[in-house]
Each structure stands twice: as C-alpha cells, then as structure tokens.
Amino acid sequence: MKTLKKSGLSKEEIIQAYYEVKRGRRLDERLWQLTRIGKTSFNISGQGAEVAQVAMAMAFEHDKDIFLPYYRDMTACLVWGMTSKDIILGSFGKDADPSSHGRQMPNHYGSKEHNIVSFASTVSTQMPLATGVAYAAQLEGKDYIALTTTGEGSANQGEVQEAMNFAGVKKLPVIFVVENNNYAISVPIEEQYANENMSDRAHGYGFEGITVDGNDFTEVYLTFKKAVKDARSGKGPKLIELKVYRLTSHSADDDQTIYRSKEDIEKMKESDPIDVFEKQLIDEGYLTQAEMDKMDEEIRAEIDKATDEAEAMPDPAPESLLDEVYAK
Amino acid sequence: MAEMTYLEAINLGISEEMARDEKVVIFGEDVGGDKGGVFGVTKGLAAKYGDNRCFNTPLTEGLIGGLAVGLGVMGYRAIGEFQFADYILPATNQILSEARTMRYRTKGDWTAPIVYRTPYGGGVRGGLYHSQSTEKIFAGQPGLRVVTPSNPYDAKGMIKAAIRSDDPVIFYEHKRLYRLLKAEIPTDDYIVPIDKANVVREGSDITVISYGMMLQYAISAAEKLAKEGIDAEVVDVRSLYPLDRETLVNAAKKTGKVLLVTEDNKEGSIMSEIAAMISEDALFDLDAPIKRLAGPDAPSMGYALTLEREFLVNEDQVIEAMRELAEY
C-alpha cells in the first residue's frame, strides 16, 4: 500500500479527505438508523467504498466536471459539493431534496447546482448519458470531463458496452468506473463474469483499463489524477475498476447473512478501509487519535443538525404530482 | 414556395433548425457523411454543418437513445435517428427510463429536449421487422410526445416544432409517404404545433379519424363519397400522444358517426384510446357504434405481396366502411 505522502496532496487536503470519508460513513449510518426507526423507507449503502470514492472524487474539478453517479456513490457526491442535509432531504423525500424533490427513492443522487446528473433505477443507463455529456464537451471544445460509476453487477448491462464502444471510437473525455464489491445483491462474481478483471474489457474498446485496490487511498487518487489529465488533454476514455468491500447488505430490504458466511462478513469487517486509512493517518503523522475523535464529534453534530433541519422541511404538495410532466 | 416531397420537407426543416441553432445535432446509423441515412433524410447535412454536428454512430440503438439524453442535459438539442421503427426496441429502456423521466424525476432541474426520428409503416415490402407500427409502445407514457405528420407541409413544420420542444419527442415518419407525396411548401420559417389534431376536411355526415398513410386513403375516399352525397369530416390525429382530446371529441360530436382507421393492429392501438375518449365524452352525441378499421391482430404484415396486402387496410375498405357508417 502506498503512503499518503506519495499522493502529492497537502496536509490540509489529506485531512479534508479523512473528513469526507468519515462523514460518508456517519451519514450512511444515520440513513440506516432513520430506516430502522421507520422515519424513512429505504437505504442502500456505500459503506466500504468511502476511501475509494473520496480519492476518486478529489481528482476532479467539481465546478466544471460532470458526475453521473450510481446509488452507492453518496460519499463521492459529498465531495462533489452536496451537503449532509441534501442527502437526508432525499431520504425523507422532502420537496427541497435536490436529487428529485421527493420523486425518486432515496440514494438516487443528483444536483443541478453541483453538476451531478440524475440517474434512473434501471442500472447503468447513465453510461450512454455520460458519452453524451462528453460529446458535448468535445463539440464545444471545452475541457470538462464526464465521470460515471456503476457496480460490477450492473456493468454487465448491454448499454455499458454500447457506451464504452462509442467513447472509444470518438476518444471522448469520459471516465467509466466499476466499483467491484463482489456481489450483485446475492450473486457472487463467479456467477457474474468469467474474466479475471472487469477492467480487461476496456482493451476491447481501444482504451486503457485499470484495476485498483479501493483500500489504497493514494493509489486510487493517483490513478484518477492521471486518467483526468489524459481525458482533459484529448487522450480519450479510461475504465477504472475499484476493488471495494460492501460492508452492509445490498439494501435495507436485503439480508446478506442469507448468502454470505459469518466468517466471510467478519473477515471483511476486520479490514474496513476506514480503519486502514486511520492507521495510515496516524503512522504518517497527519492526525492523532484525539484529533480524529474530535473530528468525529463535529461530524456527528453536523449530521444531527442536518437531520433535524431536513425533517422539519415541508413534504411535496400532493398537487405537485402533476408538475413538470411536460415543459410549460 | 417550392415543390417538395415529404422526405425533402423533413430534410429542409432539420437543416433550417441546424442553421438557426448551433446546439442542434443529428446522429444515427448511416446518418453522416455523403450517405445521409438509409432513406437519405439527412443527406447534405454533414457537408453543410460539419461531421461533428451530423455524424454516424455504431450499430447501437441504446447508445443513440442515451447519447441524446446526455447531450440534452448539457443544453443541446439532439436528434437521434433510428433506421426503422422496429429497431427502436433496444433503445426503449433509454427512451422510457431516462429521456421520458429526466424532467419529471428532477422536477425540471434537468431536462432532455430530444427528437428521436424514425420511419414506420408498411406497403414497401418490408416484411415484419421493417413495417411495424411501434407507436403504441410509446403512447400512454406521460413525459413523452409521440407525433407523426401526414403531409409535406406538416412534415417540415412539425419537425421544426419537435426540435424546438423542450420535451422528448418521438417523430414517426411514414416511409410510404417519403416520396409518394409532393406539395408546394413555404421555404421560410414556420412551425406546425405538435400537440394538435388537424381537421383536414369539414363534413357533416360522418367523421373519419386517422393518421399517416391511412389518412391519405380517408381524404381520397371522402372526395369520392362526396359525389354520392356523403359528406365526411376527416381528422388527422398528428399528435399520437398526448392526444388532442378536444379536437377529436368535437369532431365525433359534430357528426355522431365515427370511423377510426389505423394501419396498426386493431387491438391496443392508438385508436383504442381515441374510442375510449369519445365514449367517455360524447356517448350521447353518437348515432352509431364507434367503428374501427385496422390491421388484423397478427404480429405484422408478411414480406410476400399477398400477405402484405392481406394485412394492410386499403382505400376500397375505407370507402366501404365509410359508406356503411353513413347508412347506419
């Protein structure tokens, strides 16, 4: 595993990265809590992928690059600019929810203000959209990039291949990401695809594919940094596969103990990437345990405040059901 | 004014919009270069507006569907061409899950102004997969507009209106009409609304409602029957979804006798919905049961001329049905 110092990021940036990682975890824990006490009806987590998502997202310019995420990418959306309150508003289905104003299920992140494009639930349909975004950049002669993510299960959809094929043909500034957490709900990778790495597929489309350990903050960051530089300078797309854990069940409606052994789950939890990251931060002298604990308290307070504020916001008016079916 | 075919009128309409607004781009299989599409509808556009704004895609309908949405969210007005209406099916997920819902699911924060163009209809020995009426698949899908012009004047005016519309529009072009119909049409800027049915002939005895090639039979039949003293009102549906309920119901009320003619299968077609609307709003104005003249409930017409003719409604059948209704 590479040292954090090798990332080339400043101390402030590394500390900010840790704040985002921890906020992602604590916020997701809050979303589960709200589901369990019956205040919200659904959650689907990125727990286990926070370090990878923060390292990925930090390589982009959030005020100009366009993000087309999938449902586990809450932490990356936070780095892109969404707030804890924005996310909780979505879970409550409030009118002020920037993702969908209470129209989509929770975890379908989007924000016009923050260049995050809304996505459908029919997995991976955002991939062809990302090529459209990237084609727009090419047409306009601008140097913004499209980043789009999906899971390894969803990556088997035909539209993913169609999108990567076209991106290769046109050398589009788009970065495709597969967050490989080994399970498509309950289906293990052995039943999902036959090649060793998902990233191998990129070679068939004429561009580079890279597999990275999602627990290695520096490696993920540097990989994306280079991909961003290449895409911005007209060298075309990349496929980056992030090997991550899925610490939780697929969603609030799933129970992974049915199809994963207790030992397997325990073993995975013992190597939680946040623990690995924290050890690196201490070992390299970025933060002390006391400083991390203090930051955790601040994050918890921020999320408490965001929860209270979001819950107090108005629900969508029933008659708004018919708004924006068509343009006026 | 210039004499133009239905096909040339669409080409001119697109060309005028591409000249007027540089955000208008067009793409699909064979669409770019000198070929200009399988039927030549986009001929000359690449030379005039460049290979970036009029370009070929690989054989990937899902991509065509999604590329348009991605361009749309970035402020472009994308026109995606599908070679045949039967070939839209691989893109249905993109059209229904992404294009149709982008505005609604973000309450207008993100929008996807798109025109999906496609030739449809039979009578050109196309067999099953080059002749089907797929418009019913996209009707009854709020958020989407489904339209088809039935003459060269409407063809130019409606394609321009579709391109300027902020909603996703599926623009059906009847391929039998491409070169069959010629008319003097204005070469200056005009649009024809894409949400209005059109009373093409005023009459007092019976009302015939149709669109596409069948409408041409209805117009011709009405002129012939006028000599027998049967005065028919003929209405072009034009906007297949959402339907222009007011115009259609008023035309039904006017004569009290309604014939609905479609090239599609009898059951589950657009005409079934029109019949329901007339029943709801004008039952007590009717003097006869609503009559449908349509294709049989076989998947589509066959390639063999005998099978194609057996499937398709012809002008003699339209005349006969109108006569029977008038005598009821």
Side-chain angles (χ1 to χ4, degrees), chain A residues 31-49:
Chain A
L31 300 183
W32 279 98
Q33 203 179 24
L34 291 171
T35 308
R36 294 298 183 235
I37 60 173
K39 288 202 171 186
T40 61
S41 66
F42 186 74
N43 190 43
I44 190 161
S45 295
Q47 284 194 34

Side-chain angles (χ1 to χ4, degrees), chain A residues 12 27-28 35 40 87 111 113 148 167 189 199 202 224 267 298:
Chain A
E12 289 70 29
L27 184 53
D28 188 69
T35 308
T40 61
I87 303 293
S111 169
E113 185 194 348
T148 186
I189 49 173
S199 62
F224 277 94
K267 202 177 146 206
E298 288 165 7

Side-chain angles (χ1 to χ4, degrees), chain A residues 66 95 97-101 103-104 110-112 115-120 122-133 135-136 138-140 144 159 162-163 165-166 169-170 172 320-328, chain B residues 23 25 51-71 73-74 76 90 93-94 97-98 100-111 141-145 166-168 241-242:
Chain A
I66 311 291
D95 191 51
D97 153 39
S99 296
S100 79
H101 304 275
R103 291 177 174 199
Q104 289 218 86
S111 169
K112 178 84 188 249
N115 291 337
I116 302 170
V117 179
S118 156
F119 59 94
T122 45
V123 297
S124 288
T125 52
Q126 69 273 21
M127 298 256 147
L129 266 63
T131 66
V133 169
Y135 193 83
Q138 207 174 61
L139 266 176
E140 291 173 310
Y144 63 84
E159 280 148 288
E162 293 193 21
N165 180 55
F166 182 71
V169 169
K170 295 284 184 188
L172 297 178
S320 70
L321 180 73
L322 296 176
D323 289 353
E324 304 291 348
V325 176
Y326 292 100
K328 287 285 179 301
Chain B
K23 293 283 189 187
V25 297
D51 292 331
N52 288 328
R53 288 182 62 201
C54 176
F55 59 97
N56 289 322
T57 62
L59 268 166
T60 46
E61 284 85 10
L63 182 274
I64 294 169
L67 185 68
V69 183
L71 282 160
V73 297
M74 297 310 290
Y76 280 81
N93 189 27
Q94 284 292 331
S97 300
E98 289 285 1
R100 173 176 85 103
T101 53
M102 184 59 82
R103 171 182 292 276
Y104 186 72
R105 73 177 192 240
T106 63
K107 213 179 169 187
D109 291 347
W110 292 104
T111 62
Q141 303 285 354
L144 200 58
R145 293 186 181 280
D166 290 329
D167 296 315
Y241 191 80

Side-chain angles (χ1 to χ4, degrees), chain A residues 2-301:
Chain A
K2 284 197 167 71
T3 61
L4 300 177
K5 189 165 180 288
K6 279 207 167 146
S7 67
L9 292 166
S10 68
K11 186 175 179 183
E12 289 70 29
E13 286 169 322
I14 295 279
I15 292 172
Q16 181 65 23
Y18 176 65
Y19 164 77
E20 296 291 7
V21 163
K22 198 76 181 178
R23 183 164 67 138
R25 177 63 59 90
R26 292 291 180 232
L27 184 53
D28 188 69
E29 286 169 353
R30 171 55 49 87
L31 300 183
W32 279 98
Q33 203 179 24
L34 291 171
T35 308
R36 294 298 183 235
I37 60 173
K39 288 202 171 186
T40 61
S41 66
F42 186 74
N43 190 43
I44 190 161
S45 295
Q47 284 194 34
E50 296 97 335
V51 169
Q53 286 183 20
V54 171
M56 166 182 81
M58 280 180 75
F60 291 83
E61 293 184 42
H62 310 121
D63 54 354
K64 73 174 182 186
D65 294 331
I66 311 291
F67 187 24
L68 298 100
Y70 87 124
Y71 50 76
R72 293 201 199 280
D73 268 349
M74 180 189 78
T75 304
C77 289
L78 292 174
V79 178
W80 226 271
M82 290 184 80
T83 64
S84 303
K85 187 179 167 185
D86 287 341
I87 303 293
I88 300 170
L89 282 166
S91 281
F92 280 123
K94 296 291 187 178
D95 191 51
D97 153 39
S99 296
S100 79
H101 304 275
R103 291 177 174 199
Q104 289 218 86
M105 285 176 82
N107 316 97
H108 288 68
Y109 310 109
S111 169
K112 178 84 188 249
E113 185 194 348
H114 297 107
N115 291 337
I116 302 170
V117 179
S118 156
F119 59 94
S121 302
T122 45
V123 297
S124 288
T125 52
Q126 69 273 21
M127 298 256 147
L129 266 63
T131 66
V133 169
Y135 193 83
Q138 207 174 61
L139 266 176
E140 291 173 310
K142 291 189 177 162
D143 71 346
Y144 63 84
I145 299 170
L147 168 69
T148 186
T149 53
T150 200
E152 92 287 347
S154 312
N156 294 309
Q157 292 279 0
E159 280 148 288
V160 178
Q161 324 313 323
E162 293 193 21
M164 290 202 285
N165 180 55
F166 182 71
V169 169
K170 295 284 184 188
K171 277 191 177 298
L172 297 178
V174 52
I175 298 171
F176 299 99
V177 176
V178 176
E179 295 180 24
N180 189 341
N181 63 24
N182 295 321
Y183 285 91
I185 307 188
S186 70
V187 181
I189 49 173
E190 298 77 32
E191 294 179 48
Q192 294 185 50
Y193 58 92
N195 51 340
E196 191 185 340
N197 290 313
M198 273 259 154
S199 62
D200 293 344
R201 294 180 181 183
H203 306 305
Y205 301 116
F207 52 86
E208 190 184 12
I210 308 155
T211 295
V212 192
D213 174 2
N215 292 345
D216 189 334
F217 177 89
T218 298
E219 189 65 40
V220 174
Y221 176 74
L222 293 175
T223 301
F224 277 94
K225 198 78 185 158
K226 181 169 186 307
V228 164
K229 193 177 165 213
D230 286 352
R232 230 185 273 294
S233 59
K235 288 183 185 160
K238 292 260 194 309
L239 169 59
I240 299 173
E241 177 186 19
L242 296 170
K243 294 266 195 190
V244 294
Y245 294 122
R246 196 189 82 194
L247 296 177
T248 63
S249 292
H250 166 72
S251 73
D253 296 329
D254 174 49
D255 175 7
Q256 65 178 350
T257 62
I258 296 169
Y259 50 85
R260 295 178 82 171
S261 70
K262 211 172 174 181
E263 297 73 42
D264 180 28
I265 295 170
E266 283 307 314
K267 202 177 146 206
M268 176 180 66
K269 287 188 174 169
E270 278 165 21
S271 40
D272 186 328
I274 296 188
D275 296 342
V276 175
F277 195 45
E278 287 181 346
K279 188 172 181 306
Q280 281 185 297
L281 289 161
I282 293 170
D283 289 351
E284 294 185 42
Y286 285 98
L287 286 167
T288 63
Q289 185 61 52
E291 285 168 330
M292 289 195 289
D293 291 346
K294 186 166 173 285
M295 195 185 280
D296 194 27
E297 268 175 47
E298 288 165 7
I299 288 167
R300 285 172 188 275

